[in-house]
Amino acid sequence: MKRDFSRELTVTIGINTIVLSDIYSIKLNGKQLEQLPFQASDLTIRQATSEFILITAKDMNVADDGNAVYVTLDSVYRERVRGLCGSFDYNANNDL
C-alpha cells in the first residue's frame, strides 16, 4: 500500500523524546537510531513484532504499528493524564 502522506509520532518520556516517522525511522533526542533494540537505564525501544515498535519505560508502554498507537500506563498515572487517551479516572464516558 502506498501512502500519500507522512505520519509522525512523538513520545516524550522524562528527558527523552522519541520520534517515529512511519515504521522504519526512529529518532531519540534528535539522533537516528540505526539498530534496535535500544536500551538505556530507564528506556527500551524495540521491534516487538514485524509491525509493532514498542517503547517501554518504567511505568508505561507505547506500541505503534504505523496505523494505531496503544498506550498502557501504570496506576501511578491515574487521574494525572489528559488527552486522546482519556483521563484515566475510572469514567469511561469521558474517554475516546
Side-chain angles (χ1 to χ4, degrees), residues 73-83 85-92 94-95:
L73 299 173
D74 190 83
S75 62
V76 69
Y77 291 99
R78 189 155 317 277
E79 297 188 22
R80 296 178 59 200
V81 297
R82 303 285 180 266
C85 296
S87 57
F88 199 21
D89 63 358
Y90 296 106
N91 182 356
N94 64 12
D95 296 341

Side-chain angles (χ1 to χ4, degrees), residues 9 11 13 18 20 43-46 53-57 60-64:
L9 171 67
V11 178
I13 302 172
I18 302 106
L20 304 176
L43 179 70
T44 301
I45 305 170
R46 66 184 180 92
I53 298 293
L54 181 62
I55 301 167
T56 304
M60 70 180 69
N61 293 313
V62 178
D64 178 40

Side-chain angles (χ1 to χ4, degrees), residues 3 6-7 9 11-12 22 24 34 37 40 57-58 61-62 64-65 70 78 80-82 84:
R3 292 182 183 176
S6 178
R7 183 185 159 284
L9 171 67
V11 178
T12 301
D22 297 318
Y24 301 107
E34 300 298 330
K58 179 182 172 191
N61 293 313
V62 178
D64 178 40
D65 70 356
Y70 304 89
R78 189 155 317 277
R80 296 178 59 200
V81 297
R82 303 285 180 266
L84 291 176

Side-chain angles (χ1 to χ4, degrees), residues 20-40:
L20 304 176
S21 298
D22 297 318
I23 198 76
Y24 301 107
S25 176
I26 304 170
K27 291 183 180 180
L28 174 64
N29 300 325
K31 295 181 182 176
Q32 184 75 32
L33 291 181
E34 300 298 330
Q35 183 176 331
L36 293 179
F38 170 83
Q39 176 79 45

